[in-house]
Amino acid sequence: MNTKIRTLLTMILASLLLLLAACGGSSAAGDNTASGGTITIGSKNFTENILLAHMIADLIEDKTDLSVVRKVNLGGSNVAWGALKNNEIQLYPDYTGTIVANYYQQETGTSEETLTKTKELVEKDGLEFLAPFGFNNTYTLAVTKETAEKYHLKTFSDLAKVSQGLVLGVEFEFLDREDGYPGIKKLYGMNFKDAKGMDHGIMYRSISEGETDVTNAYSTDAQIEAHNLAILDDDKQFFPPYDAGTVIRKDTLDQYPELKEVINQLGGTISEEDMQKLNGQVDIEGLKEEDVARDFLIEKGLISG
């Protein structure tokens, strides 16, 4: 009887050990899956930045075993920047001029100088700016061609002379950023009859319908041509270079070092003409940002179809 009990206990113990081993194996497998990890990519609240965020996400999903959460259309620059520093997102696309002039209130320079300063500044905050995508999306000011002809406008200086009789309609954050309206006002002496803040998409409708006379625009924005606008020359070179690239947390790169090589595959692959075309596919043709982004990566051979 004792022998039978001992045998039974031995069998039970063996079964328990097997069960624990299986659980341990399952846990290890789960850890391996989790070791792939999850990262969150954000974007600002305009088409181009959303497109770029989807490109980065698609690349990461295609080239790594990481899971990607996409928090696009978060808001303006300061919202996205705050989310990155608070670790609510781990990376997002941004622009050198915005980082240097807006976040750190430092002087910019040439594209190369501003890129170098960007890398140095963000490093102090535990961040890294990766390889630029290849285009400079600088700010500019635009008017309708009728307004340009009526007031003989070719440059920002020309606009300053007649600004007191015109209405400025720009993105909300442009009204307050030092590399936006406040800075232009100081340098050029512009003093508009009224300055209105609005969403990016509404700006073009407002100027087309005559509700505003002047708007800010991006050099890669397809809406410029679609709305038959005239771009004015920044003759005192107020606006800094805005070379686009990925800004990412260093602790994220430490945890997933493969990300740097993967994301840097986008380096130098997007021209201003490319970006204007991609923006137009969304803003004018009505295609979805995620579809346009993916198709571009496939066309460039960066991901498989």
Side-chain angles (χ1 to χ4, degrees):
M1 187 70 176
N2 287 341
T3 303
K4 288 183 178 180
I5 292 173
R6 280 198 299 271
T7 303
L8 181 60
L9 288 172
T10 301
M11 291 174 63
I12 292 171
L13 182 59
S15 297
L16 286 171
L17 289 171
L18 284 170
L19 182 60
L20 288 171
C23 289
S26 174
S27 176
D31 287 345
N32 287 336
T33 303
S35 76
T38 300
I39 59 170
T40 302
I41 295 178
S43 87
K44 304 185 192 184
N45 57 349
F46 58 94
T47 298
E48 177 174 296
N49 213 252
I50 295 170
L51 280 166
L52 294 170
H54 281 304
M55 287 184 199
I56 300 165
D58 284 342
L59 259 183
I60 293 171
E61 288 176 339
D62 188 77
K63 306 294 183 184
T64 76
D65 61 350
L66 290 168
S67 297
V68 179
V69 175
R70 308 183 192 209
K71 286 189 176 180
V72 298
N73 204 18
L74 286 171
S77 296
N78 292 331
V79 174
W81 182 249
L84 180 71
K85 295 187 73 174
N86 292 333
N87 204 22
E88 295 165 20
I89 60 175
Q90 284 74 61
L91 64 158
Y92 79 102
D94 211 333
Y95 306 85
T96 55
T98 300
I99 292 171
V100 174
N102 187 43
Y103 305 149
Y104 293 99
Q105 290 85 49
Q106 299 281 323
E107 291 291 328
T108 57
T110 65
S111 283
E112 186 175 343
E113 290 167 346
T114 306
L115 175 60
T116 298
K117 187 171 280 192
T118 295
K119 289 177 176 289
E120 292 172 350
L121 289 169
V122 301
E123 185 178 11
K124 297 174 184 176
D125 279 328
L127 307 171
E128 188 165 340
F129 192 82
L130 303 183
F133 301 137
F135 69 92
N136 172 20
N137 184 7
T138 189
Y139 271 127
T140 187
L141 293 178
V143 297
T144 63
K145 290 184 176 177
E146 291 77 14
T147 298
E149 185 176 344
K150 178 179 178 181
Y151 294 100
H152 309 289
L153 303 179
K154 292 184 179 179
T155 67
F156 285 16
S157 293
D158 294 337
L159 178 63
K161 296 172 185 175
V162 297
S163 59
Q164 68 276 6
L166 302 176
V167 175
L168 177 71
V170 295
E171 292 172 299
F172 288 107
E173 68 175 15
F174 191 86
L175 284 177
D176 303 315
R177 285 173 50 157
E178 193 56 36
D179 61 338
Y181 182 43
I184 293 176
K185 195 172 181 179
K186 289 177 190 173
L187 181 61
Y188 284 98
M190 291 184 189
N191 191 18
F192 291 96
K193 179 170 63 175
D194 192 11
K196 301 178 180 180
M198 56 192 68
D199 288 331
H200 183 72
I202 297 175
M203 297 187 319
Y204 294 104
R205 189 179 70 202
S206 295
I207 195 169
S208 293
E209 294 177 356
E211 296 172 5
T212 59
D213 304 298
V214 184
T215 191
N216 73 289
Y218 306 119
S219 58
T220 58
D221 202 333
Q223 300 259 26
I224 294 170
E225 186 174 346
H227 288 271
N228 201 31
L229 300 181
I231 296 299
L232 302 180
D233 179 39
D234 181 8
D235 51 306
K236 294 183 181 179
Q237 298 181 331
F238 167 76
F239 288 120
Y242 292 90
D243 292 296
T246 302
V247 61
I248 184 170
R249 294 178 60 90
K250 277 199 165 192
D251 54 10
T252 301
L253 281 179
D254 291 341
Q255 191 172 5
Y256 310 114
E258 68 272 23
L259 283 175
K260 188 168 186 175
E261 183 179 350
V262 169
I263 297 171
N264 277 347
Q265 291 180 42
L266 276 174
T269 64
I270 310 173
S271 68
E272 289 185 23
E273 292 75 20
D274 287 334
M275 201 66 246
Q276 191 174 75
K277 178 182 175 183
L278 296 173
N279 287 331
Q281 288 177 354
V282 176
D283 292 335
I284 298 171
E285 298 175 33
L287 302 180
K288 293 181 178 178
E289 288 101 336
E290 54 266 38
D291 294 336
V292 172
R294 185 167 185 80
D295 287 345
F296 178 78
L297 294 181
I298 293 170
E299 178 188 325
K300 290 287 184 179
L302 293 173
I303 63 172
S304 53

